[in-house]
Amino acid sequence: MGVIIGPRVIDAGTSLLSVLISPVPVAAGYPSPAQDYFDGRIDLNEHLIKDITSTYIVRVSGDSMEGAGISDGDELIVNRALEPRDGCVVVAVLDGELTVKRLRITAAGVVLQADNSRYPDIRVPALSDLVVWGVATRCLHHV
């Protein structure tokens, strides 16, 4: 089961990272000799975060979400202001324990679904304490 370790607050006045940006896409097939320079800087906050006051970064522990492209050690950008919807990857607190799962809302109730066949779905019993802490918007995957 994926577990969250220590969410970090992103201060509104703090830039995550300002990096150089290439003026053209980089080929993933054959290399292109056309461009070998970078054109200015890009602020990743503008591209990765919609609401900085409600956004956190959490590190994932475990492999239950590998099918969603989320691996052990990856960091998720999580927006607490978004309304969780069926199919969203969420950070949830179920009976006091944090987990990352895909939220499924069915006629039979709420299911927290792993994206790894080795892990069973968690059908949330009616008397359980479930809080959807936030909705994952991006995964920062290590290569």
Side-chain angles (χ1 to χ4, degrees), residues 86 103-112 121-127 130:
D86 181 60
L103 179 67
R104 293 295 182 193
I105 302 169
T106 69
V110 176
V111 176
L112 297 175
D121 291 347
I122 301 169
R123 299 196 183 284
V124 180
L127 297 178
L130 174 67

Side-chain angles (χ1 to χ4, degrees), residues 28-105:
Y30 292 102
S32 170
Q35 301 293 334
D36 62 351
Y37 66 93
F38 289 88
D39 184 35
R41 294 197 172 270
I42 183 172
D43 183 354
L44 292 178
N45 288 322
E46 294 176 16
H47 294 276
L48 300 178
I49 299 172
K50 292 186 181 188
D51 181 1
I52 196 138
T53 61
S54 301
T55 301
Y56 294 79
I57 292 179
V58 296
R59 183 167 292 132
V60 175
S61 173
D63 61 355
S64 70
M65 295 302 290
E66 282 186 346
I70 302 170
S71 300
D72 183 53
D74 286 353
E75 293 174 329
L76 296 178
I77 297 177
V78 179
N79 187 331
R80 296 199 66 197
L82 293 177
E83 180 180 338
R85 299 182 188 277
D86 181 60
C88 288
V89 173
V90 299
V91 175
V93 183
L94 178 60
D95 293 329
E97 293 192 33
L98 282 165
T99 187
V100 176
K101 295 288 182 278
R102 189 168 303 279
L103 179 67
R104 293 295 182 193
I105 302 169

